[in-house]
Amino acid sequence: MVVAGIVLAYNPLRRLLMEYILMAYVQEGGWTNLTKAQQEQGMAAYMAYTQELAKAGVLRGNKRLGPSSAATTVRIANGKSQVLDGPYAESKEQLGGYYLIDVPDRDTAISWAAKCPAAGHGIVEVRALPGM
């Protein structure tokens, strides 16, 4: 069901839910500066967070992205496609991954974003996913 451009779904408990994407922006170069123990601790934090989302029944999908240095940017100019290597914009933080969740409202999505490990060393952007 779509109401006001927002995708709504019913979960098994018959609560009305909305889809949100939590986009994790981090400094890619920071990972290589960590010790092996710190990297393992970081991975464990993300795994625990993912498991917590799944256990709560709100996780619909998640992916970690490849490095922005391997990105390809495509645009149309004068009717012809232009393909450029690298990310669209240079920035301090890069989109490192995302979580797709179904929750009752924006406040709940923000609450989950605050628990994301990326919020401690980057930022987590929360956006509603409008219906098509």
Side-chain angles (χ1 to χ4, degrees):
M1 169 191 331
V2 178
V3 175
I6 304 294
V7 175
L8 301 176
Y10 284 98
N11 72 357
L13 299 176
R14 296 273 189 217
R15 292 182 300 155
L16 204 53
L17 301 176
M18 295 187 289
E19 288 185 315
Y20 287 88
I21 189 166
L22 309 180
M23 295 178 288
Y25 289 87
V26 297
Q27 291 184 10
E28 289 176 333
W31 183 255
T32 57
N33 294 332
L34 299 176
T35 67
K36 183 171 175 62
Q38 290 171 319
Q39 289 177 350
E40 290 172 356
Q41 184 180 15
M43 289 303 295
Y46 277 98
M47 290 173 58
Y49 175 69
T50 303
Q51 290 173 350
E52 186 180 354
L53 287 166
K55 185 176 179 181
V58 300
L59 182 64
R60 296 297 171 257
N62 66 297
K63 289 288 181 187
R64 184 173 66 178
L65 301 180
S68 63
S69 60
T72 300
T73 305
V74 179
R75 72 172 65 193
I76 303 295
N78 299 321
K80 295 183 180 183
S81 62
Q82 295 178 339
V83 179
L84 305 169
D85 291 335
Y88 172 68
E90 295 293 327
S91 65
K92 187 172 138 182
E93 286 125 352
Q94 296 77 35
L95 179 60
Y98 69 89
Y99 289 90
L100 179 62
I101 61 173
D102 276 347
V103 293
D105 53 46
R106 181 175 172 264
D107 289 339
T108 305
I110 290 170
S111 176
W112 279 110
K115 295 178 184 180
C116 181
H121 59 91
I123 60 169
V124 180
E125 183 177 342
V126 178
R127 287 197 198 180
L129 296 176
M132 296 298 281

